[in-house]
Amino acid sequence: NLRRPAVRMLAGLLQPGTRAGVWTFARWVNNLVPVAEVDAAWKKRTQSLSKQISSPGQFTNIEDVIDRASRSWTGQPTTHARHLVLLTDGMVDVSKKPAANAQSRTRILEELLPRLKAAGVKVHTIALSARADHELMKRLAGETGGWYQQVDQADQLQRVFLKMFETVGKPDAIPLQGNRFTVDGSISEATVLVFSKPDSP
């Protein structure tokens, strides 16, 4: 369930000029937050809808979610970088029939991966369990110039999302020195992200 605050954190950090959307998937794919310009309304909607993120399905239709999330991307990007973040705890699992699963995995590698590369999409993959298809996730990330990360403990997820945001969004940041920081007077808005242990001062 830490996927929920992780998505809320990411939504809060995304900067104006970004377009983003959120999909959830099991057997079926649900476009939880349609792709749109990131503004205050988009952030509020995403943070509200994040409460619906759950694990109701038994299957893991990675092929369909990658296809749907990237379908509108054609040709090399001219104005914006394209990033797709795949967060999953499973294998390619679309059926109880092993042959159908193998065929889906093959289509990901032989049809979707070339399409993503041709569209200049960087795929970042986050594996939430030891049983995830790490080989597939490493290949998707490696061949598109993205990065792969395994999360062994749920409480690492928000930090991984933060690392991803820092890599992808390249935000302006200021250093923390002596447990203090200074914001220039010309800055009208700043986001402060604090990680703390339970019961810490």
Side-chain angles (χ1 to χ4, degrees):
N1 287 333
L2 285 177
R3 290 171 298 170
R4 298 172 186 171
V7 167
R8 288 195 289 271
M9 181 193 76
L10 186 61
L13 291 172
L14 288 176
Q15 299 177 45
T18 303
R19 290 176 55 81
V22 179
W23 287 259
T24 58
F25 63 102
R27 169 177 278 181
W28 314 114
V29 175
N30 172 40
N31 189 187
L32 184 69
V33 183
V35 174
E37 292 287 336
V38 172
D39 56 16
W42 185 94
K43 291 185 177 193
K44 185 175 181 180
R45 183 179 185 196
T46 300
Q47 290 170 342
S48 176
L49 289 173
S50 69
K51 298 171 186 173
Q52 297 179 18
I53 295 174
S54 60
S55 302
Q58 296 180 333
F59 293 96
T60 311
N61 198 339
I62 294 173
E63 176 189 4
D64 201 21
V65 75
I66 291 176
D67 177 44
R68 288 171 182 264
S70 64
R71 193 173 287 170
S72 65
W73 286 334
T74 57
Q76 286 290 318
T78 57
T79 58
H80 291 72
R82 294 171 175 161
H83 299 272
L84 189 152
V85 180
L86 176 64
L87 178 69
T88 182
D89 63 355
M91 310 286 285
V92 175
D93 183 18
V94 297
S95 169
K96 292 182 179 179
K97 299 178 180 179
N101 297 329
Q103 290 166 0
S104 179
R105 190 180 191 278
T106 297
R107 286 192 297 270
I108 292 171
L109 293 173
E110 295 183 359
E111 297 175 19
L112 291 181
L113 179 54
R115 190 178 88 188
L116 293 167
K117 291 163 69 173
V121 181
K122 291 186 178 181
V123 182
H124 310 286
T125 56
I126 303 172
L128 288 177
S129 77
R131 66 175 292 272
D133 190 339
H134 298 279
E135 180 184 349
L136 174 66
M137 298 181 78
K138 287 177 182 177
R139 187 166 170 188
L140 287 171
E143 292 195 19
T144 60
W147 56 267
Y148 154 87
Q149 181 82 39
Q150 179 177 347
V151 176
D152 297 311
Q153 297 178 339
D155 60 5
Q156 296 175 339
L157 186 57
Q158 284 183 299
R159 291 180 184 273
V160 169
F161 266 52
L162 176 60
K163 175 184 171 186
M164 181 200 64
F165 171 73
E166 290 174 335
T167 301
V168 172
K170 297 182 173 61
D172 293 329
I174 51 180
L176 186 67
Q177 297 175 328
N179 218 27
R180 301 175 67 85
F181 62 91
T182 302
V183 179
D184 186 273
S186 65
I187 301 300
S188 60
E189 182 177 330
T191 299
V192 179
L193 184 63
V194 179
F195 291 101
S196 62
K197 295 180 180 179
D199 302 321
S200 63

